[in-house]
Amino acid sequence: MSTATSRRTEPAVVETKARPALARRQVHAVAGCYFVASFAALGLPPYLTEVLPELGDGAARWAGLLYVVPTLFGALGAPLWGRLADRFGRKRLLLRAQLGLAAAFLLAGWADSLATFAAALVVQGVLGGTFAASNGYLGAALEGHALSRALTLMQGSARAALVFAPIVVGALTPWLSPHRQYALLAVLPLAAALMLAKLPEPAADPVGTVQRDGTAPGAEVTEPSGPVLPAGYTPDVRPLRALYALEFAFVFSTVISFPYLISLISQQLPGTGPLVSGVLFALPHLCYLVAAMGVHRAFRNRPRAGIALGFGCIAAGLAGHGLAGSLASFIAVRLVLGAGLTLGLVCLSVLAADCAKGRAPGGLFGSIEFFSKAGAVAAGVAATAGNDWLGPVAPLLTGTAIAVATGLATAAPLLARTLRTRRSPRCPR
């Protein structure tokens, strides 16, 4: 059988697996628990420059490095935790992630030295990983469009936390320092763990393997929707490798603009207050919250076209940042970047749901998290180096170049296929 035929019939293998579906309220509960638990993880790092002076680093020289410590160690631990989830249970490992996050926040909140605080951030990275654990749990119970919609909802939880958590932390600061808020906010992942304990455990069968008849071990066999595959068939790994590359490039090109955005706003729009700067920072994430489900409906059957368009919007938005000279133009380029962010995140979720068919979800989403966090760490390093070289515009130029290159690489096969279709009189319209 040809390679093309193998790729066409791969979904037939997947349809033979019977997975227990989660109710919509249970999916919403998982997303809500991630939102609650991620408050400290996403809301407190912007305040590291206020935390570190309390620990002896008066100039906050270590803020940049400590900002990426949880991300770095989270990337290293995610694949291992994913494989353990496939072996010992996804719910069990999701609870482990929430409890690990709570322990890390307690340690950070009561740290009395820079070394202890840094150790707490390492613990947060190693024992946390609630996003990958939540996606692995959902991937074990859902598939197809239901899974891609759930992953889109999970990204919405992350965007909402990224928007609202820093505001809440700032509002609490007059009464409790950001350093001590780590200990206070540790109750949130603990509460999330209690809520998750009531959810069912997805099937523990080894989803990533395929028997000679094309079914997963222990699965309830149903009538396949396509031809039976030959013995020894294994899923095509090329879509998975492409997903990893796209994930890395997408996170790199978007995150690289984060660290020095406030400095850029101050440079481009002198006199801009912190409230306006915060709103400008949040605009792309607010775009996702407003438009994500509509984008999912529009692009769930053509995710690669959506990703190519998303990278084009990211490139245009990043390039526009360096040219924006008024508040209105800055709002416009932030909205363009938000359109790219939304298209990319949604369509990557659709591709991830496609790749989850026939594979162990814990290991898959752990590996995706590794490449995502690796992209964030690389973006932080590149942003720091570029800022030292050319100022806050340099990270934007780097992100634009990566977005343009990735967008063209993604669009080229789509354009070639369209041209072949138009030239072939036999091809169905």
Side-chain angles (χ1 to χ4, degrees):
M1 183 177 292
S2 67
T3 303
T5 305
S6 298
R7 287 198 301 270
R8 273 200 311 270
T9 56
E10 181 179 352
V13 179
V14 178
E15 297 301 327
T16 61
K17 293 186 305 185
R19 292 183 182 177
L22 292 176
R24 177 174 297 184
R25 61 184 177 81
Q26 294 171 323
V27 174
H28 289 174
V30 175
C33 286
Y34 174 72
F35 172 78
V36 167
S38 62
F39 239 71
L42 298 177
L44 285 167
Y47 295 88
L48 283 178
T49 51
E50 296 184 27
V51 171
L52 297 184
E54 297 182 26
L55 301 172
D57 183 12
R61 292 176 301 132
W62 292 97
L65 178 61
L66 292 178
Y67 193 93
V68 300
V69 162
T71 304
L72 174 61
F73 283 89
L76 297 175
L80 172 62
W81 289 122
R83 289 192 293 270
L84 290 176
D86 291 325
R87 181 173 181 181
F88 296 107
R90 287 96 190 188
K91 177 182 173 181
R92 191 175 302 172
L93 270 292
L94 176 54
L95 291 173
R96 186 273 322 154
Q98 298 284 6
L99 295 175
L101 208 58
F105 293 160
L106 283 172
L107 180 60
W110 294 112
D112 56 1
S113 68
L114 185 61
T116 305
F117 185 78
L121 296 182
V122 172
V123 172
Q124 177 187 331
V126 172
L127 296 184
T130 52
F131 189 73
S134 299
N135 286 347
Y137 176 87
L138 294 172
L142 303 170
E143 61 184 2
H145 290 325
L147 176 56
S148 65
R149 183 180 175 86
L151 297 179
T152 300
L153 182 63
M154 284 295 298
Q155 284 288 355
S157 294
R159 301 303 119 186
L162 196 58
V163 170
F164 295 113
I167 298 174
V168 173
V169 171
L172 291 175
T173 297
W175 294 276
L176 188 66
S177 71
H179 178 205
R180 299 307 179 190
Q181 284 188 48
Y182 270 100
L184 174 64
L185 296 181
V187 302
L188 296 179
L190 286 174
L194 291 175
M195 294 171 62
L196 291 169
K198 300 181 180 298
L199 294 179
E201 173 69 66
D205 60 304
V207 179
T209 57
V210 178
Q211 296 185 134
R212 296 178 70 86
D213 62 352
T215 64
E220 179 183 345
V221 179
T222 60
E223 187 66 27
S225 58
V228 177
L229 299 179
Y233 172 82
T234 56
D236 191 351
V237 298
R238 285 174 293 181
L240 191 58
R241 292 172 179 169
L243 173 62
Y244 292 156
L246 289 171
E247 185 77 27
F248 180 93
F250 175 80
V251 173
F252 183 95
S253 59
T254 52
V255 170
I256 197 170
S257 67
F258 291 178
Y260 298 100
L261 179 64
I262 303 302
S263 299
L264 180 70
I265 293 172
S266 300
Q267 177 180 301
Q268 302 285 95
L269 307 174
T272 303
L275 177 60
V276 174
S277 298
V279 172
L280 289 173
F281 181 89
L283 268 181
H285 310 292
L286 291 173
C287 286
Y288 184 94
L289 295 178
V290 171
M293 287 304 172
V295 171
H296 180 268
R297 288 191 294 271
F299 287 94
R300 65 184 184 181
N301 293 320
R302 43 179 180 169
R304 289 190 177 275
I307 288 176
L309 181 60
F311 274 109
C313 291
I314 290 170
L318 290 177
H321 279 63
L323 303 175
S326 66
L327 180 60
S329 59
F330 221 101
I331 290 173
V333 297
R334 294 298 288 169
L335 291 175
V336 172
L337 181 63
L341 183 80
T342 303
L343 283 162
L345 287 172
V346 170
C347 293
L348 284 171
S349 295
V350 174
L351 290 181
D354 290 341
C355 286
K357 297 174 181 178
R359 293 183 171 92
L364 171 67
F365 289 106
S367 297
I368 293 174
E369 186 75 352
F370 170 82
F371 285 96
S372 175
K373 290 185 180 298
V377 172
V381 173
T384 302
N387 183 72
D388 291 342
W389 182 34
L390 289 176
V393 175
L396 300 174
L397 297 176
T398 305
T400 300
I402 296 298
V404 168
T406 310
L408 291 175
T410 306
L414 300 176
L415 293 174
R417 191 179 309 140
T418 301
L419 291 175
R420 286 197 302 269
T421 300
R422 290 178 177 177
R423 290 174 181 173
S424 174
R426 290 187 171 184
C427 190
R429 301 284 178 181

